[in-house]
Amino acid sequence: MDYTLAIENAPDTIASGTGLLLLHPSIGETDRIDTDFLKTDTDHFLVVSTRTTAREVEQKLEHYDVDEDRAVILDTLSVERGYSRRGADDVHYVSSPDDLDGIVEKTREFLSSHDGKVRVSVDSLTEMIYYADDEGVYEATKQLLELLADHDAVGIFHLSKEVHDQSTLDEFTELFDGVVDLGDDGSVSVDFQ
């Protein structure tokens, strides 16, 4: 099964099981790429949000005209920050961005319970590393990529190229089928392994 890929300078389609790494500047405008990825050729999608709360994700989806009926959000921040939270069919919580086992398990549950063309966005690995550590997040990322392959889904994983040293960037890049590199000027280059 192929998925349409609405990212400039990228192939028109990617195969199921494909994981993309979105390398971006710290203040890069990733929302446009992320939402184009999520709203194109998609029956259901999961946003694993380690940077913003579920409410902020909902606002982003609405702003970029993404069909929220197809969305499930995994909020990793609200519990730790003490915000009020109401569980719903389409919003789930784990205790914090370093609850890597919880993130993997909630992603597994989502992929197991949704059919059709399914996408996952992890925004962001940088935040997970900040709360946990490189090694733990690397292993969790491998598990998430295996889940994508097992369930014929596709995913995009955000990583800030200004925060991590080159060896960390290289290590994570090697895990992915393709890399989307967002420049400071908003330009996009794409490299498939």
Side-chain angles (χ1 to χ4, degrees), residues 150-177:
D150 291 347
H151 293 275
D152 291 329
V154 294
I156 191 164
F157 295 66
H158 299 227
L159 187 68
S160 173
K161 55 189 172 185
E162 294 171 359
V163 173
H164 309 285
D165 60 33
Q166 192 60 48
S167 64
T168 301
L169 295 176
D170 292 345
E171 184 179 33
F172 276 88
T173 297
E174 287 171 9
L175 290 175
F176 290 87
D177 303 301

Side-chain angles (χ1 to χ4, degrees), residues 36-90:
D36 283 349
F37 176 82
L38 292 173
K39 71 182 176 183
T40 306
D41 194 23
T42 305
D43 295 312
H44 307 281
F45 63 87
L46 172 68
V47 177
V48 178
S49 185
T50 64
R51 275 191 324 113
T52 56
T53 64
R55 180 180 171 87
E56 291 168 300
V57 173
E58 289 167 346
Q59 290 169 341
K60 176 176 88 169
L61 296 176
E62 186 177 334
H63 178 78
Y64 283 92
D65 197 28
V66 182
D67 184 354
E68 292 178 63
D69 291 341
R70 299 178 181 173
V72 174
I73 300 167
L74 178 57
D75 179 335
T76 70
L77 288 176
S78 290
V79 175
E80 185 190 51
R81 292 184 179 172
Y83 297 149
S84 64
R85 56 199 183 281
R86 292 186 302 275
D89 289 344
D90 57 351

Side-chain angles (χ1 to χ4, degrees), residues 75-139:
D75 179 335
T76 70
L77 288 176
S78 290
V79 175
E80 185 190 51
R81 292 184 179 172
Y83 297 149
S84 64
R85 56 199 183 281
R86 292 186 302 275
D89 289 344
D90 57 351
V91 180
H92 304 279
Y93 298 91
V94 295
S95 58
S96 68
D98 64 355
D99 182 0
L100 304 177
D101 291 341
I103 290 169
V104 170
E105 185 53 38
K106 291 290 188 186
T107 303
R108 178 182 287 109
E109 290 171 11
F110 167 79
L111 291 170
S112 298
S113 60
H114 291 81
D115 294 325
K117 292 196 170 181
V118 182
R119 298 180 187 238
V120 175
S121 169
V122 178
D123 184 9
S124 89
L125 295 175
T126 295
E127 292 297 320
M128 290 164 68
I129 291 168
Y130 174 77
Y131 282 88
D133 59 79
D134 292 12
E135 190 175 322
V137 175
Y138 180 85
E139 290 304 319

